[in-house]
Amino acid sequence: DSGVTQTPKHLITATGQRVTLRCSPRSGDLSVYWYQQSLDQGLQFLIQYYNGEERAKGNILERFSAQQFPDLHSELNLSSLELGDSALYFCASSVTGGEQPQHFGDGTRLSIL
Amino acid sequence: AQTVTQSQPEMSVQEAETVTLSCTYDTSESNYYLFWYKQPPSRQMILVIRQEAYKQQNATENRFSVNFQKAAKSFSLKISDSQLGDTAMYFCAFMGGGGYQKVTFGIGTKLQVIP
């Protein structure tokens, strides 16, 4: 058990909809990372937060947004969903943020119909 | 931009044997970090091993070791005494050394350990 909790585990929705993915980092970790894993593009870094502030940004679409709250949990919001957004979305955490993602959650499987 | 290349989509190894997974990367940075992550069928990503580019000594972690060739920009993972639980996708990853750097992952190698 990595200590990182992601909800929901599975999400099925339709094109054009909006969803929110939630992540609670491992206790003591201040930094949260979001990744998208799809079959054709592997694991893609989306965004990183440290103690509530955005620290690094990757290939995150404008339709996607994220935030980290004072209690350190994070949410990834995906809007105007397209078929190509179907993927496994991982959250990871680490203590300081200036290091590699240490602990990964089990991921949220998003399926767009 | 950094790139990470894993040229072996799939590999198999007999239980108790040794297998080496290949990874090459491209960067203009001199200070960086390299990692191998494992993703078993349960799909959770697990950090296997980490190598700092400034260290000449290859990292080892129990049955896992790396062969880090900085000049050749090569970072292979050797798994000794393979076990059934080693069956997983293995991802090579790169991170720049400047702090708050994004981690770039390779496409992965699927390893099957055969009883």
Side-chain angles (χ1 to χ4, degrees), chain B residues 2-73:
Chain B
Q2 291 82 13
T3 58
V4 177
T5 303
Q6 293 180 251
S7 57
Q8 304 153 313
E10 293 190 31
M11 293 190 71
S12 61
V13 62
Q14 290 290 138
E15 197 174 3
E17 296 296 307
T18 295
V19 64
T20 298
L21 309 183
S22 301
C23 172
T24 58
Y25 58 95
D26 189 28
T27 183
S28 57
E29 298 187 43
S30 57
N31 183 29
Y32 51 87
Y33 303 85
L34 295 161
F35 315 95
W36 280 97
Y37 284 87
K38 166 185 175 181
Q39 187 179 35
S42 64
R43 83 185 189 192
Q44 186 176 71
M45 295 285 286
I46 301 165
L47 178 64
V48 175
I49 200 163
R50 161 189 163 124
Q51 174 80 45
E52 291 88 346
Y54 63 86
K55 288 187 178 178
Q56 291 187 337
Q57 187 172 8
N58 289 324
T60 62
E61 199 70 46
N62 300 316
R63 297 182 295 108
F64 299 87
S65 62
V66 298
N67 183 5
F68 174 47
Q69 302 288 328
K70 192 172 184 179
K73 294 180 182 174

